[in-house]
Amino acid sequence: VPGVGGERVGSEHGDRDDESDCAHPGSPSRLFEAQNATNRARQAAIPRGEVEALRAIYAPDARIWHDHDQATQSVEQNLQVLAWVVKNIAELRYEEIRRHATPTGFVQQHVLRGRAPNGTPLEVPACIVCAVAGGRITRLDEYLDSAQLEALRG
């Protein structure tokens, strides 16, 4: 079972899942599997620009917060930003993914990579903390190295 005991999960992106923070550490957890499936679906939909799939992953009243601007977005606002990201960042992908289950969702660290419109490589280390209920993200707090976004401003 992926993630049991913090073992590395094989994939082309080096995903690693760890359910050690779940209520039942070291044993398969339906909760962890559901939360993990929710995040994997989100992570796959973003680079492909699948807005409707993303909308279905978020609860209708979900809130998305970013540390770099201290702003909280609605689902619709976040989908607009993600549509811009997909349109303007070539070769968009998540790499070096480390995911840990929590009793209410999951925490994921990753590096978002791609190319800015001016051709500059992007490498943005980030961390998301998500609450999940009923298989849908109800809250997502994103922490990232905003200095790495400079190529998008030029």
Side-chain angles (χ1 to χ4, degrees), residues 32-51:
F32 173 73
E33 290 171 12
Q35 293 163 342
N36 194 30
T38 298
N39 190 50
R40 284 187 184 273
R42 178 183 178 276
Q43 179 178 309
I46 290 173
R48 294 192 301 247
E50 297 173 349
V51 174

Side-chain angles (χ1 to χ4, degrees), residues 7-91:
E7 64 195 51
R8 195 156 181 83
V9 176
S11 85
E12 69 276 11
H13 300 294
D15 293 7
R16 187 181 76 195
D17 300 316
D18 180 359
E19 69 169 341
S20 61
D21 294 330
C22 279
H24 300 79
S27 65
S29 165
R30 287 188 199 143
L31 175 62
F32 173 73
E33 290 171 12
Q35 293 163 342
N36 194 30
T38 298
N39 190 50
R40 284 187 184 273
R42 178 183 178 276
Q43 179 178 309
I46 290 173
R48 294 192 301 247
E50 297 173 349
V51 174
E52 291 309 311
L54 286 166
R55 187 185 322 278
I57 292 165
Y58 287 123
D61 59 347
R63 294 290 173 249
I64 299 90
W65 176 84
H66 305 107
D67 75 320
H68 65 279
D69 60 7
Q70 301 292 304
T72 301
Q73 298 177 323
S74 68
V75 171
E76 292 306 316
Q77 291 167 321
N78 186 251
L79 292 175
Q80 289 174 2
V81 170
L82 292 174
W84 184 93
V85 165
V86 170
K87 182 179 177 183
N88 291 282
I89 300 176
E91 303 169 33

